[in-house]
Amino acid sequence: MKTCVIIPTYNEVKHLGSLLHEVKNYLSDIIVINDGSSDSTAQVAASCGAVVITNLHNQGKGASLIKGFAYALEAGFESVLVMDGDGQHRPQDIPKFLAAAQDASWGLIVGNRMHDPRHMPVVRRLTNSIMSWYISRIVGRSIPDSQCGFRMIRKEALSRFNFSTTKFEIETEMFIEAARLGIAIVSVPIQSVYQDEKSHINPFTDTVRFFRYMFRRVWTTKS
């Protein structure tokens, strides 16, 4: 299966170089979406042999992923693996996704850090548990780690997804779209990594945006 790695980035020069070198041990086709970075993220990505797509201004994770997905589909990739550029996702876990992809029934594979969350900060662990429970109820599927951005998506699923969000809500929208289309969602255990990275999530703005999106989708579904 021809697979590429898509990494949305915003000022991730600190971790990106080492991440890309490690990823290339498993997959050679890497697409970095430089989302209006003010540092040398784009230059580092290009020097590591990645395809670099640049947004002139910061547009958000969702907008960056949509742009990367379009490129991957146009280039003929059969699946995409999405990773964060801040070092929270271990390239050593990539084989777990590739192994799970051997089953022909999958459409979306999601990393699961909650099988062993000891290294996850307590607040994030609690938030993740609540959000995962809530989203699992909404989509009618068991999703133990709904907040994990480490994901693999099959072309047949990706080409049918109809995204309407441009920020972090896209990770939730992906589950809702998969459930709406009857696409199988699979979870694989991965390691939880938290170092000195700084989250780009705004606790207030992104939480409000998330619940606004969920209210809109649930209300639309019931109408």
Side-chain angles (χ1 to χ4, degrees):
M1 179 175 288
K2 186 181 179 184
T3 303
C4 69
V5 180
I6 296 178
I7 305 178
T9 59
Y10 177 63
N11 293 337
E12 298 293 1
V13 68
K14 182 175 182 180
H15 300 283
L16 189 60
S18 59
L19 174 66
L20 295 180
H21 283 301
E22 290 187 55
V23 169
K24 292 178 76 172
N25 291 326
Y26 305 98
L27 293 168
S28 58
D29 294 299
I30 305 173
I31 304 164
V32 171
I33 314 300
N34 172 36
D35 192 20
S37 298
S38 58
D39 63 10
S40 56
T41 289
Q43 292 88 332
V44 170
S47 70
C48 292
V51 172
V52 181
I53 301 173
T54 296
N55 296 330
L56 295 180
H57 305 286
N58 185 263
Q59 298 179 19
K61 185 174 186 178
S64 295
L65 285 177
I66 290 170
K67 189 170 288 188
F69 294 155
Y71 178 93
L73 290 173
E74 180 68 23
F77 287 100
E78 298 169 284
S79 64
V80 302
L81 184 74
V82 178
M83 299 181 69
D84 288 345
D86 60 4
Q88 280 200 37
H89 299 155
R90 298 172 68 251
Q92 292 86 347
D93 283 326
I94 290 176
K96 297 178 182 178
F97 288 86
L98 300 179
Q102 298 303 308
D103 185 336
S105 65
W106 74 280
L108 171 62
I109 304 173
V110 185
N112 173 22
R113 300 161 297 178
M114 299 302 286
H115 74 104
D116 183 14
R118 288 175 296 174
H119 301 293
M120 185 180 292
V122 174
V123 173
R124 292 200 184 191
R125 188 189 313 175
L126 178 61
T127 301
N128 198 353
S129 297
I130 295 172
M131 298 297 285
S132 297
W133 173 83
Y134 176 63
I135 292 171
S136 294
R137 284 181 59 86
I138 293 295
V139 303
R141 314 280 185 91
S142 176
I143 302 172
D145 190 355
S146 66
Q147 306 305 295
C148 184
F150 202 172
R151 306 176 177 197
M152 189 170 180
I153 314 156
R154 187 192 288 271
K155 176 185 69 174
E156 290 79 6
L158 193 59
S159 62
R160 297 175 65 195
F161 286 166
N162 182 25
F163 295 119
S164 63
T165 59
T166 60
K167 307 295 183 181
F168 288 99
E169 318 96 284
I170 194 171
E171 295 177 338
T172 297
E173 185 172 27
M174 200 176 292
F175 293 128
I176 292 177
E177 283 293 288
R180 178 180 69 85
L181 296 167
I183 292 169
I185 303 173
V186 178
S187 293
V188 295
I190 63 171
Q191 183 173 326
S192 176
V193 181
Y194 285 90
Q195 303 174 36
D196 59 347
E197 73 283 341
K198 181 180 179 181
S199 176
H200 297 304
I201 296 177
N202 183 300
F204 177 76
T205 304
D206 286 303
T207 298
V208 170
R209 188 181 291 117
F210 168 80
F211 281 107
R212 183 185 298 136
Y213 164 73
M214 290 301 295
F215 177 80
R216 186 173 70 249
R217 285 300 298 253
V218 172
W219 180 263
T220 301
T221 301
K222 291 182 177 181
S223 299

